[in-house]
Amino acid sequence: MSASRASAQRTSASRTGTLSTNGLLTNGLSTNGLLTNVLWASARRVLVLRLALIAVGAPAALERSAPGGPTHLTAGALLLTFTLSYAAFRAGERLGPLVPRHRTLLAWDMALLTPLLVVAGPALPLGLVCLCTPLLAGLLHDRRGAAGYAVAQAALVAALVAALTAAKGGTSSLALHSLTTLPALVLPALCLLAGAAGACLRDLLTRFDEASRTRAETAARLAATQAARTERDRLAREMHDSVSKTLHGLALAADALSRTADPAAVHQQARTVAEAARRAAAESRHLLTELRSDGTAPTAPPAPVTPLVAQLRSLAASHPGAALHTTGTVPPVPPALTRDLVAVAAEALENARRHASASHVDITAAASPTGLCLTITDDGRGLPPGAPDPAHLRATGHFGLLGMTERAEALGAHLAIGPPATGPGTRVRLEMPLGSP
């Protein structure tokens, strides 16, 4: 019993959530509040059109009516229809969600117009008010509802025209001579066309809404994918510049330890291995902390910022054969930018030592009124084939050069990697305009 009840509930929920071809639920509720607002805003324009038609057609209808009672009756019908139509226009926020749910509400709208058509007659231009109900049905209901109201309105107008035509000559107060003209006779056909026009407009708005939502969802997915890709690239750069290099140094120290017989040298190499292992553990913990952070945990107070020149000088001192040169007064640089600039310089120094077998490296930091230029030049054996093309670097595993290229793009800087102007080697030149992020 419970299994069958659960199956029935799932079936009912599936039927309730099934969308019709025009983007609405089977009970007429819109799946998108914005679409409902747009459709009701269009319906309110139809009500404005009705008010304008009543205002324009009222003088002619009163002129055609006989003096006395018929004139008063026509004026009362015009005033009642105008007042109730204006009230429906003003009550848009309350009627908007109700009309799509309850199809019978438009039947009252049709009943509201019938006395006006009977008293004032369906002659133009006042007779055009009968087109508003099919048009509203097309906008606020599906095609079946629009067709029903359009056929009903057309039949009502046709019956009224036929009845008044049959009574021609019996009463002149209704101005029956104006009802047999071609415009009055085509009103039933116009009612059908109005219903079809409303349904087509509604389909167009629904498809436009679906296309807009699909486009927004696609853009959101692409943005999420790009954000994930950017974060992966950032973590890859951080791992390459920190843990990877530290583990490489740890492996070199361990190899040297295995080949050393002097006790003092063994002790020194063991200390180097231990320091490298602790540094690798600290860097791994830092990366894990960034991955686990949700942005709400309290952060430690920021460490004192070391100036860019001081960090570059310390970097040059830690690499034999490297020298730092400065030109001009290097301005204060934000910590994040300083970190990226030092990372680019450190990667260039590491490549010169490990891959190019360079004996001398010059680091130049030049400041000018327009920007900052960082140049690293070595006398090694030059670049690998295909550098610095990012696609080739990624395919061949040259992640250091790829990381420098990505850092420069993230900073909005211009990075040029190539041979120096004179002699062998490689020159890495990064130009950062002042005011860049």
Side-chain angles (χ1 to χ4, degrees), residues 57-86:
L62 293 174
E63 182 180 355
R64 289 194 301 266
S65 63
T71 300
H72 296 158
L73 190 60
T74 301
L78 288 170
L79 181 60
L80 178 63
T81 306
F82 188 91
T83 303
L84 293 180
S85 299
Y86 181 76

PDB file of all heavy atoms in Angstrom, residues 57-86:
ATOM      1  N   GLY A  57     -15.359  56.199 -29.488  1.00  0.00           N
ATOM      2  CA  GLY A  57     -16.635  55.814 -30.087  1.00  0.00           C
ATOM      3  C   GLY A  57     -17.858  56.326 -29.363  1.00  0.00           C
ATOM      4  O   GLY A  57     -18.977  56.220 -29.891  1.00  0.00           O
ATOM      5  N   ALA A  58     -17.695  56.855 -28.156  1.00  0.00           N
ATOM      6  CA  ALA A  58     -18.852  57.307 -27.386  1.00  0.00           C
ATOM      7  C   ALA A  58     -19.631  58.418 -28.086  1.00  0.00           C
ATOM      8  O   ALA A  58     -20.882  58.354 -28.156  1.00  0.00           O
ATOM      9  CB  ALA A  58     -18.403  57.751 -25.987  1.00  0.00           C
ATOM     10  N   PRO A  59     -18.990  59.471 -28.619  1.00  0.00           N
ATOM     11  CA  PRO A  59     -19.792  60.530 -29.267  1.00  0.00           C
ATOM     12  C   PRO A  59     -20.631  60.011 -30.428  1.00  0.00           C
ATOM     13  O   PRO A  59     -21.814  60.380 -30.568  1.00  0.00           O
ATOM     14  CB  PRO A  59     -18.733  61.529 -29.734  1.00  0.00           C
ATOM     15  CG  PRO A  59     -17.566  61.302 -28.821  1.00  0.00           C
ATOM     16  CD  PRO A  59     -17.561  59.835 -28.557  1.00  0.00           C
ATOM     17  N   ALA A  60     -20.064  59.137 -31.252  1.00  0.00           N
ATOM     18  CA  ALA A  60     -20.824  58.614 -32.397  1.00  0.00           C
ATOM     19  C   ALA A  60     -21.977  57.743 -31.925  1.00  0.00           C
ATOM     20  O   ALA A  60     -23.077  57.779 -32.494  1.00  0.00           O
ATOM     21  CB  ALA A  60     -19.891  57.824 -33.318  1.00  0.00           C
ATOM     22  N   ALA A  61     -21.753  56.936 -30.868  1.00  0.00           N
ATOM     23  CA  ALA A  61     -22.825  56.079 -30.361  1.00  0.00           C
ATOM     24  C   ALA A  61     -23.956  56.908 -29.778  1.00  0.00           C
ATOM     25  O   ALA A  61     -25.146  56.599 -29.980  1.00  0.00           O
ATOM     26  CB  ALA A  61     -22.262  55.122 -29.301  1.00  0.00           C
ATOM     27  N   LEU A  62     -23.626  57.964 -29.066  1.00  0.00           N
ATOM     28  CA  LEU A  62     -24.665  58.826 -28.510  1.00  0.00           C
ATOM     29  C   LEU A  62     -25.405  59.576 -29.616  1.00  0.00           C
ATOM     30  O   LEU A  62     -26.623  59.822 -29.508  1.00  0.00           O
ATOM     31  CB  LEU A  62     -24.041  59.817 -27.526  1.00  0.00           C
ATOM     32  CG  LEU A  62     -23.465  59.215 -26.234  1.00  0.00           C
ATOM     33  CD1 LEU A  62     -22.748  60.273 -25.416  1.00  0.00           C
ATOM     34  CD2 LEU A  62     -24.587  58.567 -25.402  1.00  0.00           C
ATOM     35  N   GLU A  63     -24.701  59.927 -30.655  1.00  0.00           N
ATOM     36  CA  GLU A  63     -25.339  60.654 -31.761  1.00  0.00           C
ATOM     37  C   GLU A  63     -26.317  59.761 -32.516  1.00  0.00           C
ATOM     38  O   GLU A  63     -27.376  60.211 -32.973  1.00  0.00           O
ATOM     39  CB  GLU A  63     -24.270  61.192 -32.704  1.00  0.00           C
ATOM     40  CG  GLU A  63     -24.848  62.020 -33.861  1.00  0.00           C
ATOM     41  CD  GLU A  63     -23.757  62.536 -34.776  1.00  0.00           C
ATOM     42  OE1 GLU A  63     -22.558  62.324 -34.451  1.00  0.00           O
ATOM     43  OE2 GLU A  63     -24.085  63.145 -35.808  1.00  0.00           O
ATOM     44  N   ARG A  64     -25.981  58.456 -32.628  1.00  0.00           N
ATOM     45  CA  ARG A  64     -26.861  57.540 -33.360  1.00  0.00           C
ATOM     46  C   ARG A  64     -28.100  57.154 -32.542  1.00  0.00           C
ATOM     47  O   ARG A  64     -29.109  56.725 -33.085  1.00  0.00           O
ATOM     48  CB  ARG A  64     -26.096  56.256 -33.740  1.00  0.00           C
ATOM     49  CG  ARG A  64     -25.064  56.444 -34.819  1.00  0.00           C
ATOM     50  CD  ARG A  64     -24.606  55.088 -35.361  1.00  0.00           C
ATOM     51  NE  ARG A  64     -24.031  54.270 -34.291  1.00  0.00           N
ATOM     52  CZ  ARG A  64     -22.722  54.231 -34.009  1.00  0.00           C
ATOM     53  NH1 ARG A  64     -21.877  54.994 -34.697  1.00  0.00           N
ATOM     54  NH2 ARG A  64     -22.279  53.449 -33.051  1.00  0.00           N
ATOM     55  N   SER A  65     -27.998  57.259 -31.210  1.00  0.00           N
ATOM     56  CA  SER A  65     -29.135  56.839 -30.381  1.00  0.00           C
ATOM     57  C   SER A  65     -30.247  57.876 -30.423  1.00  0.00           C
ATOM     58  O   SER A  65     -30.013  59.066 -30.651  1.00  0.00           O
ATOM     59  CB  SER A  65     -28.670  56.619 -28.941  1.00  0.00           C
ATOM     60  OG  SER A  65     -28.183  57.832 -28.381  1.00  0.00           O
ATOM     61  N   ALA A  66     -31.490  57.413 -30.212  1.00  0.00           N
ATOM     62  CA  ALA A  66     -32.649  58.305 -30.233  1.00  0.00           C
ATOM     63  C   ALA A  66     -32.664  59.156 -28.965  1.00  0.00           C
ATOM     64  O   ALA A  66     -32.174  58.733 -27.906  1.00  0.00           O
ATOM     65  CB  ALA A  66     -33.931  57.491 -30.324  1.00  0.00           C
ATOM     66  N   PRO A  67     -33.190  60.360 -29.024  1.00  0.00           N
ATOM     67  CA  PRO A  67     -33.236  61.199 -27.827  1.00  0.00           C
ATOM     68  C   PRO A  67     -34.085  60.574 -26.736  1.00  0.00           C
ATOM     69  O   PRO A  67     -34.977  59.764 -26.984  1.00  0.00           O
ATOM     70  CB  PRO A  67     -33.863  62.505 -28.343  1.00  0.00           C
ATOM     71  CG  PRO A  67     -33.663  62.474 -29.827  1.00  0.00           C
ATOM     72  CD  PRO A  67     -33.708  61.029 -30.209  1.00  0.00           C
ATOM     73  N   GLY A  68     -33.757  60.945 -25.526  1.00  0.00           N
ATOM     74  CA  GLY A  68     -34.538  60.465 -24.390  1.00  0.00           C
ATOM     75  C   GLY A  68     -33.953  59.217 -23.769  1.00  0.00           C
ATOM     76  O   GLY A  68     -32.746  59.114 -23.515  1.00  0.00           O
ATOM     77  N   GLY A  69     -34.793  58.224 -23.554  1.00  0.00           N
ATOM     78  CA  GLY A  69     -34.388  57.003 -22.871  1.00  0.00           C
ATOM     79  C   GLY A  69     -33.241  56.264 -23.533  1.00  0.00           C
ATOM     80  O   GLY A  69     -32.281  55.848 -22.860  1.00  0.00           O
ATOM     81  N   PRO A  70     -33.286  56.037 -24.881  1.00  0.00           N
ATOM     82  CA  PRO A  70     -32.171  55.337 -25.523  1.00  0.00           C
ATOM     83  C   PRO A  70     -30.825  56.032 -25.324  1.00  0.00           C
ATOM     84  O   PRO A  70     -29.800  55.377 -25.127  1.00  0.00           O
ATOM     85  CB  PRO A  70     -32.587  55.299 -26.997  1.00  0.00           C
ATOM     86  CG  PRO A  70     -34.068  55.346 -26.961  1.00  0.00           C
ATOM     87  CD  PRO A  70     -34.420  56.237 -25.804  1.00  0.00           C
ATOM     88  N   THR A  71     -30.825  57.359 -25.376  1.00  0.00           N
ATOM     89  CA  THR A  71     -29.567  58.083 -25.162  1.00  0.00           C
ATOM     90  C   THR A  71     -29.061  57.880 -23.747  1.00  0.00           C
ATOM     91  O   THR A  71     -27.857  57.662 -23.521  1.00  0.00           O
ATOM     92  CB  THR A  71     -29.770  59.580 -25.453  1.00  0.00           C
ATOM     93  OG1 THR A  71     -30.193  59.752 -26.804  1.00  0.00           O
ATOM     94  CG2 THR A  71     -28.475  60.346 -25.221  1.00  0.00           C
ATOM     95  N   HIS A  72     -29.988  57.957 -22.788  1.00  0.00           N
ATOM     96  CA  HIS A  72     -29.567  57.748 -21.392  1.00  0.00           C
ATOM     97  C   HIS A  72     -29.067  56.321 -21.176  1.00  0.00           C
ATOM     98  O   HIS A  72     -28.097  56.101 -20.448  1.00  0.00           O
ATOM     99  CB  HIS A  72     -30.737  58.053 -20.456  1.00  0.00           C
ATOM    100  CG  HIS A  72     -31.170  59.486 -20.508  1.00  0.00           C
ATOM    101  ND1 HIS A  72     -32.438  59.911 -20.128  1.00  0.00           N
ATOM    102  CD2 HIS A  72     -30.537  60.610 -20.931  1.00  0.00           C
ATOM    103  CE1 HIS A  72     -32.540  61.196 -20.282  1.00  0.00           C
ATOM    104  NE2 HIS A  72     -31.387  61.662 -20.785  1.00  0.00           N
ATOM    105  N   LEU A  73     -29.741  55.360 -21.818  1.00  0.00           N
ATOM    106  CA  LEU A  73     -29.315  53.961 -21.676  1.00  0.00           C
ATOM    107  C   LEU A  73     -27.936  53.741 -22.292  1.00  0.00           C
ATOM    108  O   LEU A  73     -27.078  53.052 -21.714  1.00  0.00           O
ATOM    109  CB  LEU A  73     -30.350  53.051 -22.344  1.00  0.00           C
ATOM    110  CG  LEU A  73     -30.191  51.547 -22.090  1.00  0.00           C
ATOM    111  CD1 LEU A  73     -30.299  51.242 -20.599  1.00  0.00           C
ATOM    112  CD2 LEU A  73     -31.233  50.767 -22.870  1.00  0.00           C
ATOM    113  N   THR A  74     -27.702  54.347 -23.448  1.00  0.00           N
ATOM    114  CA  THR A  74     -26.389  54.220 -24.095  1.00  0.00           C
ATOM    115  C   THR A  74     -25.301  54.882 -23.251  1.00  0.00           C
ATOM    116  O   THR A  74     -24.209  54.327 -23.069  1.00  0.00           O
ATOM    117  CB  THR A  74     -26.429  54.851 -25.489  1.00  0.00           C
ATOM    118  OG1 THR A  74     -27.437  54.201 -26.277  1.00  0.00           O
ATOM    119  CG2 THR A  74     -25.090  54.744 -26.176  1.00  0.00           C
ATOM    120  N   ALA A  75     -25.595  56.061 -22.731  1.00  0.00           N
ATOM    121  CA  ALA A  75     -24.611  56.754 -21.890  1.00  0.00           C
ATOM    122  C   ALA A  75     -24.288  55.944 -20.638  1.00  0.00           C
ATOM    123  O   ALA A  75     -23.125  55.860 -20.212  1.00  0.00           O
ATOM    124  CB  ALA A  75     -25.132  58.145 -21.523  1.00  0.00           C
ATOM    125  N   GLY A  76     -25.314  55.327 -20.039  1.00  0.00           N
ATOM    126  CA  GLY A  76     -25.073  54.514 -18.849  1.00  0.00           C
ATOM    127  C   GLY A  76     -24.212  53.304 -19.151  1.00  0.00           C
ATOM    128  O   GLY A  76     -23.318  52.941 -18.375  1.00  0.00           O
ATOM    129  N   ALA A  77     -24.480  52.641 -20.315  1.00  0.00           N
ATOM    130  CA  ALA A  77     -23.668  51.476 -20.693  1.00  0.00           C
ATOM    131  C   ALA A  77     -22.221  51.877 -20.959  1.00  0.00           C
ATOM    132  O   ALA A  77     -21.282  51.173 -20.568  1.00  0.00           O
ATOM    133  CB  ALA A  77     -24.277  50.793 -21.914  1.00  0.00           C
ATOM    134  N   LEU A  78     -22.054  53.023 -21.632  1.00  0.00           N
ATOM    135  CA  LEU A  78     -20.691  53.501 -21.894  1.00  0.00           C
ATOM    136  C   LEU A  78     -19.966  53.813 -20.590  1.00  0.00           C
ATOM    137  O   LEU A  78     -18.787  53.439 -20.406  1.00  0.00           O
ATOM    138  CB  LEU A  78     -20.741  54.746 -22.778  1.00  0.00           C
ATOM    139  CG  LEU A  78     -21.136  54.540 -24.242  1.00  0.00           C
ATOM    140  CD1 LEU A  78     -21.386  55.880 -24.916  1.00  0.00           C
ATOM    141  CD2 LEU A  78     -20.038  53.779 -24.975  1.00  0.00           C
ATOM    142  N   LEU A  79     -20.632  54.489 -19.669  1.00  0.00           N
ATOM    143  CA  LEU A  79     -19.991  54.856 -18.406  1.00  0.00           C
ATOM    144  C   LEU A  79     -19.663  53.625 -17.575  1.00  0.00           C
ATOM    145  O   LEU A  79     -18.582  53.531 -16.987  1.00  0.00           O
ATOM    146  CB  LEU A  79     -20.920  55.792 -17.622  1.00  0.00           C
ATOM    147  CG  LEU A  79     -20.379  56.296 -16.276  1.00  0.00           C
ATOM    148  CD1 LEU A  79     -19.085  57.073 -16.489  1.00  0.00           C
ATOM    149  CD2 LEU A  79     -21.421  57.158 -15.572  1.00  0.00           C
ATOM    150  N   LEU A  80     -20.583  52.650 -17.540  1.00  0.00           N
ATOM    151  CA  LEU A  80     -20.344  51.435 -16.763  1.00  0.00           C
ATOM    152  C   LEU A  80     -19.165  50.646 -17.333  1.00  0.00           C
ATOM    153  O   LEU A  80     -18.280  50.192 -16.584  1.00  0.00           O
ATOM    154  CB  LEU A  80     -21.607  50.580 -16.758  1.00  0.00           C
ATOM    155  CG  LEU A  80     -21.496  49.229 -16.018  1.00  0.00           C
ATOM    156  CD1 LEU A  80     -21.210  49.459 -14.530  1.00  0.00           C
ATOM    157  CD2 LEU A  80     -22.759  48.404 -16.205  1.00  0.00           C
ATOM    158  N   THR A  81     -19.137  50.479 -18.652  1.00  0.00           N
ATOM    159  CA  THR A  81     -18.047  49.714 -19.272  1.00  0.00           C
ATOM    160  C   THR A  81     -16.709  50.408 -19.072  1.00  0.00           C
ATOM    161  O   THR A  81     -15.699  49.766 -18.766  1.00  0.00           O
ATOM    162  CB  THR A  81     -18.326  49.525 -20.766  1.00  0.00           C
ATOM    163  OG1 THR A  81     -19.623  48.942 -20.940  1.00  0.00           O
ATOM    164  CG2 THR A  81     -17.283  48.626 -21.401  1.00  0.00           C
ATOM    165  N   PHE A  82     -16.707  51.731 -19.249  1.00  0.00           N
ATOM    166  CA  PHE A  82     -15.458  52.477 -19.075  1.00  0.00           C
ATOM    167  C   PHE A  82     -14.963  52.387 -17.628  1.00  0.00           C
ATOM    168  O   PHE A  82     -13.773  52.172 -17.370  1.00  0.00           O
ATOM    169  CB  PHE A  82     -15.678  53.943 -19.469  1.00  0.00           C
ATOM    170  CG  PHE A  82     -14.407  54.746 -19.510  1.00  0.00           C
ATOM    171  CD1 PHE A  82     -13.669  54.854 -20.667  1.00  0.00           C
ATOM    172  CD2 PHE A  82     -13.938  55.409 -18.366  1.00  0.00           C
ATOM    173  CE1 PHE A  82     -12.497  55.609 -20.709  1.00  0.00           C
ATOM    174  CE2 PHE A  82     -12.775  56.143 -18.395  1.00  0.00           C
ATOM    175  CZ  PHE A  82     -12.048  56.246 -19.568  1.00  0.00           C
ATOM    176  N   THR A  83     -15.880  52.515 -16.681  1.00  0.00           N
ATOM    177  CA  THR A  83     -15.482  52.497 -15.267  1.00  0.00           C
ATOM    178  C   THR A  83     -14.928  51.134 -14.861  1.00  0.00           C
ATOM    179  O   THR A  83     -13.875  51.039 -14.214  1.00  0.00           O
ATOM    180  CB  THR A  83     -16.679  52.868 -14.379  1.00  0.00           C
ATOM    181  OG1 THR A  83     -17.181  54.152 -14.761  1.00  0.00           O
ATOM    182  CG2 THR A  83     -16.281  52.894 -12.914  1.00  0.00           C
ATOM    183  N   LEU A  84     -15.607  50.062 -15.247  1.00  0.00           N
ATOM    184  CA  LEU A  84     -15.151  48.725 -14.866  1.00  0.00           C
ATOM    185  C   LEU A  84     -13.847  48.366 -15.588  1.00  0.00           C
ATOM    186  O   LEU A  84     -12.976  47.695 -15.013  1.00  0.00           O
ATOM    187  CB  LEU A  84     -16.236  47.699 -15.182  1.00  0.00           C
ATOM    188  CG  LEU A  84     -17.513  47.825 -14.343  1.00  0.00           C
ATOM    189  CD1 LEU A  84     -18.526  46.758 -14.736  1.00  0.00           C
ATOM    190  CD2 LEU A  84     -17.187  47.710 -12.846  1.00  0.00           C
ATOM    191  N   SER A  85     -13.680  48.797 -16.826  1.00  0.00           N
ATOM    192  CA  SER A  85     -12.421  48.540 -17.535  1.00  0.00           C
ATOM    193  C   SER A  85     -11.269  49.284 -16.876  1.00  0.00           C
ATOM    194  O   SER A  85     -10.148  48.739 -16.737  1.00  0.00           O
ATOM    195  CB  SER A  85     -12.547  48.945 -19.003  1.00  0.00           C
ATOM    196  OG  SER A  85     -13.553  48.200 -19.654  1.00  0.00           O
ATOM    197  N   TYR A  86     -11.534  50.514 -16.443  1.00  0.00           N
ATOM    198  CA  TYR A  86     -10.485  51.272 -15.756  1.00  0.00           C
ATOM    199  C   TYR A  86     -10.148  50.635 -14.408  1.00  0.00           C
ATOM    200  O   TYR A  86      -8.988  50.598 -13.997  1.00  0.00           O
ATOM    201  CB  TYR A  86     -10.939  52.717 -15.566  1.00  0.00           C
ATOM    202  CG  TYR A  86      -9.904  53.580 -14.872  1.00  0.00           C
ATOM    203  CD1 TYR A  86      -8.784  54.026 -15.551  1.00  0.00           C
ATOM    204  CD2 TYR A  86     -10.053  53.939 -13.533  1.00  0.00           C
ATOM    205  CE1 TYR A  86      -7.831  54.814 -14.917  1.00  0.00           C
ATOM    206  CE2 TYR A  86      -9.104  54.720 -12.892  1.00  0.00           C
ATOM    207  CZ  TYR A  86      -7.999  55.154 -13.587  1.00  0.00           C
ATOM    208  OH  TYR A  86      -7.047  55.922 -12.958  1.00  0.00           O
TER     209      TYR A  86
END
